Amino acid sequence: MRANHVSTAKTILVVEDERIVARDLQHVLSDFGYSVPATAASSEDAMRLAAEKCPDLVLMDIRIKGQRDGIETAAILRERFGVPIVYLTAHADDDAVAQAKKTEPYGYLIKPVRADELRSTIEIALYKHEMERRLRER
């Protein structure tokens, strides 16, 4: 097993209210070498888990359980924790995309997503976020 790789693995929080989809994403991301310690089904779960787990990236569905949708939740997570967001959604209508753009996501993937698209989008998002962090430090 990749013991030394796991210790430096980036942590991803999956926010998806369909349990089967969330579990599948968790397995796929783990196979890629990411740490996915938990998944969230609602905005409240996402806030709690983000505070506990300090994720390096959030994979966010737009339609989730609870009073807040994924876009509103993403805006709060970004503001509170400075974490990059990648949307993974079945909704590609103009309104959803326009609303999502306001949260400055690092990616927007349409379900069903191919594993290679998921991996490359996450890698680019993590890299871009790290470069922006380094630029701010200068």
Side-chain angles (χ1 to χ4, degrees), residues 38-58:
T39 63
S42 68
S43 180
E44 295 76 22
D45 289 347
M47 296 300 167
R48 180 180 51 76
L49 288 169
E52 289 173 13
K53 308 293 183 191
C54 301
D56 296 294
L57 182 135
V58 175

Side-chain angles (χ1 to χ4, degrees), residues 7-15 34-38 45-59 77-78 80-85 126 129 133:
S7 64
T8 60
K10 297 287 187 186
T11 300
I12 297 179
L13 174 59
V14 174
V15 184
Y34 297 112
S35 171
V36 189
D45 289 347
M47 296 300 167
R48 180 180 51 76
L49 288 169
E52 289 173 13
K53 308 293 183 191
C54 301
D56 296 294
L57 182 135
V58 175
L59 194 57
L77 287 170
R78 184 171 162 89
R80 223 178 261 179
F81 302 105
V83 64
I85 307 293
L126 289 168
H129 184 68
R133 186 189 62 75

Side-chain angles (χ1 to χ4, degrees), residues 101-119:
K101 281 190 334 192
K102 293 177 186 175
T103 65
E104 300 175 23
Y106 284 67
Y108 193 99
L109 295 167
I110 308 302
K111 293 180 196 175
V113 67
R114 291 190 348 243
D116 58 338
E117 289 176 334
L118 179 63
R119 184 179 200 165

